[in-house]
C-alpha cells in the first residue's frame, strides 16, 4: 500500500509542478490563465506531495540506520506512531 501511495504522491507532484510551470509561463508572457485559487491549490498539492515523499524516504532511511541528520518533526511523527 505504501508503494502505491508513494507513486500517487509522485504523480501528484509532477501534475502540480506541470500546472505551476504553465501558470508561471503564462504570467511571464502577460496572459495569466490560472485563477489565484487554482494556483494556490497547485502550490498546496505540490508541497504536500513532496512533504509526504520526503517523510517516507526519511522513515525508510531511519529504519535502516542511514540517517545522518535528524529531522525533529519527522521523528516526532514516527515516534508517536510507535507508542500509540
Amino acid at each position: 500500500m505504501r508503494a502505491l501511495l508513494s507513486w500517487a504522491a509522485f504523480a501528484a507532484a509532477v501534475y502540480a509542478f506541470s500546472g505551476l510551470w504553465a501558470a508561471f509561463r503564462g504570467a511571464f508572457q502577460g496572459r495569466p490563465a490560472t485563477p489565484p485559487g487554482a494556483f494556490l491549490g497547485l502550490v498546496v498539492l505540490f508541497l504536500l506531495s513532496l512533504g509526504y515523499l520526503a517523510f517516507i524516504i526519511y522513515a525508510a532511511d531511519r529504519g535502516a540506520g542511514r540517517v545522518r541528520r535528524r529531522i525533529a518533526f519527522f521523528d516526532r511523527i514516527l515516534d508517536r506512531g510507535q507508542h500509540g
Side-chain angles (χ1 to χ4, degrees):
M1 183 68 170
R2 183 175 284 179
L4 182 62
L5 285 175
S6 63
W7 279 108
F10 179 73
V14 169
Y15 171 77
F17 184 77
S18 174
L20 289 171
W21 189 257
F24 279 123
R25 282 184 39 205
F28 282 123
Q29 292 175 353
R31 48 178 180 80
T34 305
F39 183 80
L40 183 60
L42 287 171
V43 169
V44 169
L45 177 64
F46 184 70
L47 293 177
L48 287 177
S49 60
L50 283 185
Y52 176 75
L53 290 171
F55 175 75
I56 61 171
I57 291 170
Y58 180 82
D61 284 348
R62 181 180 139 170
R66 294 188 302 247
V67 172
R68 291 186 185 166
R69 282 197 146 163
R70 311 288 286 186
I71 300 175
F73 179 70
F74 288 168
D75 284 334
R76 273 185 263 141
I77 293 171
L78 290 169
D79 292 341
R80 187 179 325 164
Q82 292 175 357
H83 299 311

